[in-house]
Amino acid sequence: MAQHSFWKGYLKLSLVTCPVTMMTATSESEKVRFHTLNRATGNRVEGIYVDDETGRAVDEDDQARGYERGPGEFVLLEDEDLAAVALESTRTIDIEMFVPADSVQWLWYDTPHFLTPNDPVGEEAFAVIREAMAATGTVGIARLVLYRRERPVMLEPRGRGIVLWTLRYADEVRPPEGYFDDIDARPEAPLVDLVAKLIDKRTRKWEPSLVHDPLQDNLKALIASKKKNRRRSAPRKGKEEPEAPTNVVNIMDALKKSLASEKGARPRK
């Protein structure tokens, strides 16, 4: 079932404009969520802000945003100050530029959204922009205010629609240089061949069930049993932690044993 749109506006490329609507491509609505309660009364507990010096509660009208520019020294910013530096339009996705689709690494990807035309009249303009990106192997880069924050976004053609990804900012992504520099191992070809065979045996067709969260099922079953006032079940025993190896393992022998143990096991297609 299609979700209701949470954002409506316009997709714009130069003089070409079409009305669009956006839906979130992911959801956590099915996740089990907990509230903090007062054990004595069963009532929910509210969070409040307190002054860290006086310990007194601070009314909402007296709460302000502050940027710390030095120890204990803050610059106060009002809503008017933030509005002055925000985007002029929060309802237009104005594609500023295009980049090769394979040049944006996955580290930059944040949250996906489905973008679709909002009326039949705008479908042609939407389709033209989508197909042109697909034909040229490019993705569009723009900026948009989402979730009360200005964000860089990437528009990726996908089937009949467009996936709009919010992107992480440049100062949020750490360069990989320096993290992997000390890894000097150069494995021998026979070892790589054995691991390749092990990978082949465990390769299967991708399907969403491969990343199913069994903990959510266990939590729902626990909550259901609580509703029926059943006696609390004993915690399920997990796998014991393997003991730390006491000697150097021969990688070649370990790989051969791994392949032998999986002989005859066929991954699902």
Side-chain angles (χ1 to χ4, degrees):
M1 181 181 296
Q3 298 181 1
H4 294 292
S5 64
F6 80 99
W7 185 93
K8 291 183 179 181
Y10 296 89
L11 176 62
K12 183 175 183 293
L13 174 59
S14 187
L15 300 179
V16 180
T17 304
C18 63
V20 291
T21 184
M22 194 188 317
M23 291 75 66
T24 55
T26 60
S27 173
E28 294 189 353
S29 61
E30 298 301 318
K31 293 286 187 182
V32 176
R33 298 181 180 276
F34 299 102
H35 297 281
T36 302
L37 306 178
N38 182 335
R39 186 186 297 275
T41 64
N43 299 328
R44 291 177 59 177
V45 175
E46 292 185 357
I48 60 173
Y49 286 99
V50 298
D51 189 302
D52 66 354
E53 293 290 337
T54 66
R56 297 176 182 175
V58 180
D59 293 335
E60 184 175 355
D61 292 340
D62 293 328
Q63 297 171 15
R65 297 182 182 88
Y67 173 79
E68 188 173 14
R69 63 181 180 184
E73 185 179 359
F74 295 89
V75 176
L76 294 182
L77 297 173
E78 303 296 342
D79 291 340
E80 296 78 9
D81 299 324
L82 299 177
V85 298
L87 287 178
E88 293 182 3
S89 175
T90 61
R91 290 297 171 185
T92 301
I93 306 170
D94 190 354
I95 304 178
E96 303 170 353
M97 68 190 76
F98 296 89
V99 300
D102 58 2
S103 66
V104 185
Q105 298 181 11
W106 63 269
L107 278 172
W108 297 91
Y109 289 29
D110 188 12
T111 305
H113 306 76
F114 294 139
L115 194 68
T116 60
N118 196 27
D119 66 36
V121 177
E123 282 191 15
E124 184 178 10
F126 180 92
V128 166
I129 296 174
R130 178 200 66 209
E131 291 303 310
M133 287 192 294
T136 56
T138 59
V139 291
I141 303 297
R143 291 185 176 276
L144 184 64
V145 173
L146 281 178
Y147 313 112
R148 299 183 181 181
R149 182 182 179 189
E150 178 183 327
R151 298 170 182 268
V153 298
M154 182 187 79
L155 291 91
E156 175 191 14
R158 182 73 62 89
R160 297 183 182 181
I162 292 176
V163 174
L164 182 146
W165 286 89
T166 56
L167 299 177
R168 295 185 172 92
Y169 288 99
D171 59 358
E172 295 177 333
V173 177
R174 294 176 177 174
E177 291 79 7
Y179 290 93
F180 308 136
D181 294 348
D182 295 334
I183 304 176
D184 296 324
R186 296 291 187 272
E188 298 177 357
L191 294 177
V192 175
D193 291 340
L194 284 175
V195 173
K197 291 179 181 179
L198 190 60
I199 290 174
D200 182 64
K201 286 182 175 294
R202 295 194 176 195
T203 298
R204 61 184 63 182
K205 182 180 179 181
W206 163 258
E207 55 186 40
S209 63
L210 297 179
V211 288
H212 175 72
D213 185 1
L215 176 60
Q216 294 298 311
D217 295 335
N218 295 339
L219 287 173
K220 290 176 181 178
L222 174 62
I223 292 170
S225 68
K226 289 281 189 178
K227 288 181 179 179
K228 296 180 181 179
N229 294 321
R230 295 176 182 172
R231 191 171 63 179
R232 182 180 299 177
S233 57
R236 187 179 62 176
K237 292 184 178 180
K239 295 181 179 180
E240 295 182 359
E241 291 292 331
E243 295 182 1
T246 56
N247 60 335
V248 178
V249 177
N250 184 294
I251 299 178
M252 180 68 77
D253 290 342
L255 288 174
K256 288 180 178 179
K257 290 180 180 179
S258 296
L259 287 170
S261 66
E262 300 199 11
K263 185 177 181 180
R266 295 181 178 180
R268 292 180 294 174
K269 299 294 185 182

